[in-house]
């Protein structure tokens, strides 16, 4: 029996209240790794990622972090079999741009360093449309999206996400902060694409970098590539491998 409510811990209402509590960041990471285990790379699509970011005004600190993180992704994946990244970002009033494919982290970092964040509403629908085009024209291993909020019609987003799911393209969504509307939308997009959702904050920048490096390496070379990254001290690879079945 709880001291404040007088309810017994085994009562259905108490269990329901407990189940409704927001998941911890650790639970999000565990769920992310479990989903990554369930989505092995398609050899026909491996090595290519669409890396999408919200570039509205609130995102400048994370944009700067992403410039460094993507360079690390290239370096880690390049030691195995290479990586190509297409940058997609939105900002301002209706602006959403998709880059060419980059095979070099320095080139992409140079492009990103010239982009400034601008105020505006989210345009995640355009990101998903760009990913659909890339999946159709170029074949991609996954879409990675980093953002903090969602200001669009969630049903429209889910329709596009479902199309990506049908094409076998998982979406890995990383949310900065704890906006509840965005979290519900991101989790549903992840579910529809057999992707994953993970929350992070300013104090978890290194964890985000480690996980993104592991995703990039896994997309490029599967389990053997992750094992090599682990031998080099990659913490994200260690976490990912701990969730993979033997020989998976």
């Amino acid at each position: 029996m709880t001291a404040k409510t007088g309810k017994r811990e085994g009562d259905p209402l108490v269990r329901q209240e407990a189940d409704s509590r927001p998941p911890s960041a650790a639970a999000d990471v565990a769920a992310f790794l479990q989903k990554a285990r369930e989505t092995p790379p398609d050899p026909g699509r491996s090595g290519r990622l669409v890396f999408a970011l919200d570039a509205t005004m609130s995102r400048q600190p994370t944009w700067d972090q992403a410039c460094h993180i993507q360079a690390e992704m290239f370096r880690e994946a390049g030691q195995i079999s290479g990586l190509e990244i297409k940058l997609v970002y939105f900002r301002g009033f209706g602006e959403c741009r998709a880059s060419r494919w980059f095979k070099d982290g320095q080139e992409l970092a140079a492009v990103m360093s010239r982009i400034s964040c601008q105020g505006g509403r989210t345009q995640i629908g355009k990101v998903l449309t760009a990913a659909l085009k890339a999946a159709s024209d170029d074949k991609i291993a996954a879409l990675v999206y980093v953002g903090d909020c969602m200001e669009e019609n969630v049903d429209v987003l889910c329709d596009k996400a479902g199309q990506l799911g049908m094409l076998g393209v998982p979406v890995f969504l990383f949310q900065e902060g704890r906006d509840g509307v965005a979290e519900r939308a991101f989790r549903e997009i992840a579910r529809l694409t057999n992707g994953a959702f993970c929350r992070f904050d300013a104090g978890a920048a290194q964890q985000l970098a480690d996980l993104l490096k592991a995703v990039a390496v896994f997309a490029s070379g599967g389990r053997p590539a992750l094992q090599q990254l682990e031998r080099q001290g990659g913490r994200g690879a260690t976490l990912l491998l701990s969730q993979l079945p033997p020989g998976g």
Side-chain angles (χ1 to χ4, degrees), residues 135-216:
S136 175
D137 295 347
D138 303 312
K139 294 189 176 181
I140 59 176
L143 164 63
V144 173
Y145 176 76
V146 183
D148 62 351
C149 63
M150 192 286 295
E151 300 163 308
E152 300 160 67
N153 185 316
V154 68
D155 291 324
V156 173
L157 298 185
C158 288
D159 178 71
K160 295 179 184 292
Q163 295 177 53
L164 282 171
M166 292 292 290
L167 292 173
V169 179
V171 182
F172 298 98
L173 302 104
F174 297 86
Q175 180 190 4
E176 182 176 21
R178 293 182 175 274
D179 183 278
V181 173
E183 179 176 344
R184 288 190 292 273
F186 292 177
R187 287 186 183 276
E188 184 63 8
I189 291 170
R191 185 188 70 81
L192 289 167
T193 62
N194 200 31
F197 165 88
C198 190
R199 187 191 300 111
F200 72 99
D201 55 32
Q206 187 56 53
Q207 183 183 61
L208 176 65
D210 291 340
L211 287 168
L212 283 175
K213 285 189 291 184
V215 171

Side-chain angles (χ1 to χ4, degrees), residues 71-81 213-214 216-217 229 232 234:
E72 295 177 15
M73 290 166 66
F74 272 112
R75 281 196 295 270
E76 295 293 354
Q79 296 180 39
I80 309 301
S81 62
K213 285 189 291 184
V217 168
L229 179 59
Q232 296 169 354

Side-chain angles (χ1 to χ4, degrees), residues 65-113:
Q65 292 172 7
C67 290
H68 298 288
I69 290 174
Q70 63 79 19
E72 295 177 15
M73 290 166 66
F74 272 112
R75 281 196 295 270
E76 295 293 354
Q79 296 180 39
I80 309 301
S81 62
L83 178 70
E84 294 182 63
I85 288 180
K86 179 186 288 290
L87 174 68
V88 178
Y89 69 93
F90 58 81
R91 63 180 182 174
F93 183 70
E95 180 184 0
C96 183
R97 299 183 182 274
S99 74
R100 62 179 173 85
W101 288 104
F102 287 92
K103 297 182 179 180
D104 181 86
Q106 292 184 338
E107 285 187 311
L108 179 53
V111 170
M112 293 180 70
S113 68

